[in-house]
Amino acid sequence: MNHFKTTFFFLRLPVAVSLLGHGLVRLPKLAGFSNWMVGTMEKSVIPPALIVPFSYFLPIAEALLGLALLVGFKVRYTLFASITLMSLLIFGSCSIENWSAIEAQLLHAFYLMAIYWFWEKNQSLQTP
């Protein structure tokens, strides 16, 4: 499987760019993004005391996970962290019944899981 590294890079590329892009565009306007998220989550059962810190954490996490995926850093842990982040976003979207956002988040989660499956299946074929 001599093309594994190239194939694996191009499998990671779209979701890495998506996560990195989401994070990078939000970082310069972190306070505005936080205010937007708190306003969006007003009808949620999740208390603002949890939403505010998460709204500051999210762009940083997205940027770091996107960058880690892009460069292939600690692949297993990065993919697990990314899937966990998507699960948190899905939970938040469910709490405000934002079904269209859930579709995009589920797509990201399934894509990340497919990347993990591909990586796991090919680990035994790689030479140390």
Side-chain angles (χ1 to χ4, degrees), residues 20-41:
L20 184 61
H22 273 87
L24 289 180
V25 301
R26 292 172 175 163
L27 282 174
K29 52 184 178 181
L30 208 47
F33 174 73
S34 177
N35 290 333
W36 171 83
M37 183 177 249
V38 169
T40 300
M41 300 295 288

Side-chain angles (χ1 to χ4, degrees), residues 38 46 56 59-60 70 79 84 106 109 116 119-121 127:
V38 169
I46 303 168
Y56 282 94
I60 296 165
L70 192 62
L79 288 169
T84 301
L106 280 172
Y116 176 74
W119 179 78
E120 188 70 26
K121 282 288 193 188
T127 56

Side-chain angles (χ1 to χ4, degrees), residues 1-12 75 79 110-126:
M1 184 124 244
N2 56 353
H3 297 293
F4 170 78
K5 287 183 180 183
T6 303
T7 302
F8 190 54
F9 170 77
F10 283 109
L11 277 174
R12 294 188 327 259
V75 173
L79 288 169
F110 284 130
Y111 193 90
L112 289 160
M113 196 60 216
I115 293 170
Y116 176 74
W117 178 84
F118 179 82
W119 179 78
E120 188 70 26
K121 282 288 193 188
N122 287 281
Q123 283 308 292
S124 61
L125 304 174
Q126 300 304 304

Side-chain angles (χ1 to χ4, degrees), residues 64-79:
L64 291 176
L65 290 171
L67 183 60
L69 275 175
L70 192 62
V71 300
F73 178 75
K74 301 281 187 186
V75 173
R76 172 180 281 149
Y77 300 114
T78 300
L79 288 169

Side-chain angles (χ1 to χ4, degrees), residues 80-96:
F80 286 165
S82 299
I83 293 167
T84 301
L85 182 64
M86 285 302 131
S87 298
L88 291 171
L89 291 172
I90 290 167
F91 179 75
S93 295
C94 285
S95 75
I96 58 170

